Amino acid sequence: SQQGEEDPQALSIQEGENATMNCSYKTSINNLQWYRQNSGRGLVHLILIRSNEREKHSGRLRVTLDTSKKSSSLLITASRAADTASYFCATEGNNRLAFGKGNQVVVIP
Amino acid sequence: NAGVMQNPRHLVRRRGQEARLRCSPMKGHSHVYWYRQLPEEGLKFMVYLQKENIIDESGMPKERFSAEFPKEGPSILRIQQVVRGDSAAYFCASSPPGLASEQYFGPGTRLTVT
């Protein structure tokens, strides 16, 4: 089954810097999604990118998708302390989402 | 339009007891998914249900775990004779029919087995 895998696992940055995290997957996909999870909370959907899209923007978020390399990246620009969270990519197949282990991002004020 | 509701938010059970986790999907959603998140891990698919029908339970442990989504009322994830390894966060998601990519997640139930 498809499975996202994020790299790196943990990232600590200063407020105002950009944060980049990557995700790779193993099989063909229809779309790939990124979610945020604050400590002890549920998942918040950030952005969905379809397989025929290469780049997508939403506010301070920029997602890229390279289907030839089976990888995606999430860039958070001008980070804020409130961006401190875990970020997961997920691929959809067989009526389920397959999540990676997540990237923990800490933004230091 | 209320989002996906889960209750309880926190549940403590002693080994051997039963745990019942409830999930009410978003209005208009008839498909429900359950996922489990172990500490420091991503979410793992457990089961996919429609009203009165289990579509895919390939992610469910073979024993002690069951799920239902009755015609009326919330979806229930039931864990019998809980063990410490069942301690995790259990998330429910719902989607419109045929749109598994549009899953909306509830806040989760954190189960602690003592």
Side-chain angles (χ1 to χ4, degrees), chain B residues 60-73:
Chain B
M60 290 271 274
K62 299 298 181 193
E63 298 178 349
R64 303 187 296 107
F65 284 72
S66 63
E68 62 176 9
F69 189 15
K71 185 177 180 180
E72 301 291 337

Side-chain angles (χ1 to χ4, degrees), chain A residues 3 31 33 35 37-43 45 48 50 88 92 94-102 104, chain B residues 9 33 35 37 40-45 48 55-56 58-59 91 100-108 110:
Chain A
Q3 185 170 10
N31 59 69
Q33 306 182 58
Y35 289 82
Q37 184 180 34
N38 291 88
S39 180
R41 301 288 187 90
L43 274 74
H45 183 262
L48 179 151
R50 301 192 187 283
F88 296 90
E92 185 252 321
N94 296 326
N95 293 309
R96 68 182 71 175
L97 295 177
F99 289 84
K101 292 186 177 181
Q104 187 174 3
Chain B
R9 295 291 305 277
Y33 313 77
Y35 294 83
Q37 184 180 30
E40 310 301 324
E41 297 271 335
L43 278 70
K44 302 294 185 188
F45 169 81
Y48 165 40
I55 304 301
D56 181 355
S58 59
F91 290 94
S101 60
E102 293 188 20
Q103 294 184 32
Y104 293 81
F105 283 82
R110 275 150 188 82

Side-chain angles (χ1 to χ4, degrees), chain A residues 32-75:
Chain A
L32 184 143
Q33 306 182 58
W34 285 90
Y35 289 82
R36 183 184 72 222
Q37 184 180 34
N38 291 88
S39 180
R41 301 288 187 90
L43 274 74
V44 174
H45 183 262
L46 296 176
I47 196 165
L48 179 151
I49 186 165
R50 301 192 187 283
S51 60
N52 61 353
E53 297 176 306
R54 291 296 167 259
E55 187 172 311
K56 198 164 184 179
H57 296 255
S58 177
R60 293 183 296 111
L61 304 179
R62 173 177 166 252
V63 170
T64 63
L65 180 64
D66 187 335
T67 53
S68 66
K69 296 180 180 178
K70 291 186 168 57
S71 67
S72 173
S73 68
L74 172 67
L75 167 68

Side-chain angles (χ1 to χ4, degrees), chain B residues 8-99:
Chain B
R9 295 291 305 277
H10 299 275
L11 182 62
V12 179
R13 285 287 178 265
R14 292 181 178 172
R15 280 180 296 171
Q17 291 184 321
E18 178 180 289
R20 283 188 175 232
L21 288 62
R22 296 174 186 79
C23 169
S24 297
M26 285 182 69
K27 187 177 181 180
H29 288 188
S30 58
H31 293 207
V32 165
Y33 313 77
W34 285 93
Y35 294 83
R36 177 167 64 176
Q37 184 180 30
L38 296 171
E40 310 301 324
E41 297 271 335
L43 278 70
K44 302 294 185 188
F45 169 81
M46 298 182 75
V47 62
Y48 165 40
L49 309 104
Q50 298 175 10
K51 287 276 188 183
E52 301 183 283
N53 196 12
I54 297 174
I55 304 301
D56 181 355
E57 57 181 349
S58 59
M60 290 271 274
K62 299 298 181 193
E63 298 178 349
R64 303 187 296 107
F65 284 72
S66 63
E68 62 176 9
F69 189 15
K71 185 177 180 180
E72 301 291 337
S75 174
I76 306 286
L77 178 67
R78 181 183 178 202
I79 311 172
Q80 296 177 290
Q81 299 176 322
V82 295
V83 300
R84 288 214 172 112
D86 297 333
S87 295
Y90 292 83
F91 290 94
C92 168
S94 71
S95 77
L99 290 174

